[in-house]
Amino acid sequence: MLVHTIKEVRDNVKQWKKEGLTVGVVPTMGALHAGHASLIKKAVEKCDKVVVSVFVNPIQFGPAEDYDKYPRTLDADVKLAEGIGADIIFAPSPDEMYGKGQRLSNDTLTYVAPPYFYVNKLCGKTRVGHFDGVCTVVMKLFNITQADYGFFGQKDAQQFIILNKMVHDLNVPIELIECPIVREPSGLALSSRNKYLDEKGKVDALALSQILNNIKACYNKGITDISALKETSLKFLNENHDLEYLEFVDKDNLEDKTKADDNTLVLIACRVHGVRLIDNILLK
Ligand code: AMP
């Protein structure tokens, strides 16, 4: 069932809770693909009732980012989510989420701001304020749905670690479940932003997964020196790539690694033909 208001979600959840049913929430920005589908499937398997939110959240986009042109495919999203067994697709307007006429700034709106250590690196370095926007909207979705479980992709690994920290620090009564990255057969991680790529762009986009797989293969051969592992990626990059970062951090707390080990998460962000893509791999 497609609903657009917070009240409709709350009314349904109230009834479900009365019946003692468990609730799962899958927050998304829509343009759903097989990656999102895997999260919804996991949620349907684990929970009695599932809410999928479809909301392109204005407060997590920077002024020069792609908020306006972000793909919006609500009809197809509803079909896909309902086909898997989602009970509610919650697609609010920005006014519904933040209040009509509300100025979307942390001067005027209560934000959930994750700690500096977690946001001052990787995607947070260039996307200033992004994780404040993510935590704020996700916290609102947790409060609206009263969900017992929240489902997120490893695709956004920094986001997952930050959200887990938020849930822990603020005693939010929910368990977060991380789902593996779904890829095309070529290795390209599925992303709504892949829609911006043409055929040549998709070929050049393979560099991200190739770099990560190659680093893992080198680690498995015994190389643990991070500079040496970074060096192996250069051969995959050409003039269509603008590498933003390639970092080695602890998978649990995002601390920088001095040497690669089994707990190391390798994350990459790279512009390919101008489209910003991210990917990551765990070395274990
Ligand atoms: P988005 O709509 O991009 O905000 O993503 C919504 C959720 O889907 C996030 O938890 C993402 O990590 C997850 N997700 C996006 N792409 C993938 C993928 N290729 N595999 C698994 N999960 C994904």
Side-chain angles (χ1 to χ4, degrees), residues 121-166:
K121 51 174 43 182
L122 305 167
C123 290
K125 240 182 177 161
T126 48
R127 304 193 73 189
V128 176
H130 169 69
F131 288 112
D132 295 15
V134 170
C135 285
T136 303
V137 79
V138 170
M139 190 68 198
K140 284 165 73 72
L141 290 167
F142 289 170
N143 286 333
I144 292 165
T145 60
Q146 301 283 303
D148 303 284
Y149 299 96
F151 296 81
F152 297 86
Q154 190 204 318
K155 168 82 179 3
D156 297 275
Q158 184 180 14
Q159 167 178 287
F160 187 78
I161 292 167
I162 288 174
L163 290 173
N164 248 331
K165 174 84 176 137
M166 173 185 86

Side-chain angles (χ1 to χ4, degrees), residues 34-281:
H36 300 110
S38 73
L39 270 53
I40 300 169
K41 192 161 176 280
K42 233 330 170 9
V44 168
E45 282 163 11
K46 191 164 177 72
C47 306
D48 298 318
K49 296 288 177 185
V50 171
V51 179
V52 175
S53 62
V54 173
F55 180 57
V56 185
N57 175 33
I59 69 169
Q60 71 187 67
F61 286 78
E65 293 184 356
D66 56 344
Y67 174 71
D68 287 328
K69 75 164 188 174
Y70 196 85
R72 289 160 169 89
T73 60
L74 185 58
D75 291 347
D77 294 347
V78 172
K79 257 195 204 138
L80 182 141
E82 287 191 336
I84 300 168
D87 297 276
I88 287 185
I89 292 86
F90 175 44
S93 65
D95 280 352
E96 175 68 12
M97 277 303 265
Y98 293 112
K100 209 166 164 44
Q102 168 74 56
R103 205 158 55 78
L104 300 180
S105 123
N106 54 7
D107 289 338
T108 54
L109 193 67
T110 304
Y111 270 64
V112 179
Y116 185 71
F117 174 79
Y118 288 73
V119 296
N120 183 37
K121 51 174 43 182
L122 305 167
C123 290
K125 240 182 177 161
T126 48
R127 304 193 73 189
V128 176
H130 169 69
F131 288 112
D132 295 15
V134 170
C135 285
T136 303
V137 79
V138 170
M139 190 68 198
K140 284 165 73 72
L141 290 167
F142 289 170
N143 286 333
I144 292 165
T145 60
Q146 301 283 303
D148 303 284
Y149 299 96
F151 296 81
F152 297 86
Q154 190 204 318
K155 168 82 179 3
D156 297 275
Q158 184 180 14
Q159 167 178 287
F160 187 78
I161 292 167
I162 288 174
L163 290 173
N164 248 331
K165 174 84 176 137
M166 173 185 86
V167 162
H168 174 266
D169 287 353
L170 300 182
N171 306 98
V172 189
I174 190 168
E175 185 183 328
L176 304 192
I177 293 175
E178 189 171 33
C179 306
I181 302 174
V182 176
R183 299 175 180 280
E184 289 189 357
S186 64
L188 178 64
L190 295 184
S191 163
S192 305
R193 289 191 169 96
N194 291 351
K195 289 203 164 108
Y196 300 148
L197 296 167
D198 59 16
E199 280 312 305
K200 174 81 174 75
K202 275 196 151 189
V203 172
D204 283 323
L206 294 182
L208 280 82
S209 56
Q210 285 168 342
I211 286 170
L212 296 174
N213 286 330
N214 187 55
I215 285 174
K216 186 162 177 163
C218 292
Y219 171 72
N220 285 337
K221 280 187 201 147
I223 304 174
T224 57
D225 181 75
I226 288 174
S227 320
L229 288 169
K230 281 189 179 177
E231 193 82 15
T232 64
S233 60
L234 297 176
K235 63 173 183 267
F236 296 100
L237 299 170
N238 64 36
E239 68 282 0
N240 295 319
H241 299 112
D242 183 6
L243 183 65
E244 186 181 302
Y245 65 71
L246 175 64
E247 299 289 351
F248 291 62
V249 304
D250 187 282
K251 71 172 178 54
D252 296 318
N253 57 24
L254 292 180
E255 270 181 38
D256 291 329
K257 286 284 183 189
T258 49
K259 254 186 186 327
D261 61 21
D262 278 0
N263 279 335
T264 301
L265 186 65
V266 186
L267 304 101
I268 187 169
C270 184
R271 282 186 185 276
V272 180
H273 296 245
V275 179
R276 187 177 182 281
L277 301 176
I278 59 171
D279 200 349
N280 66 83
I281 201 167

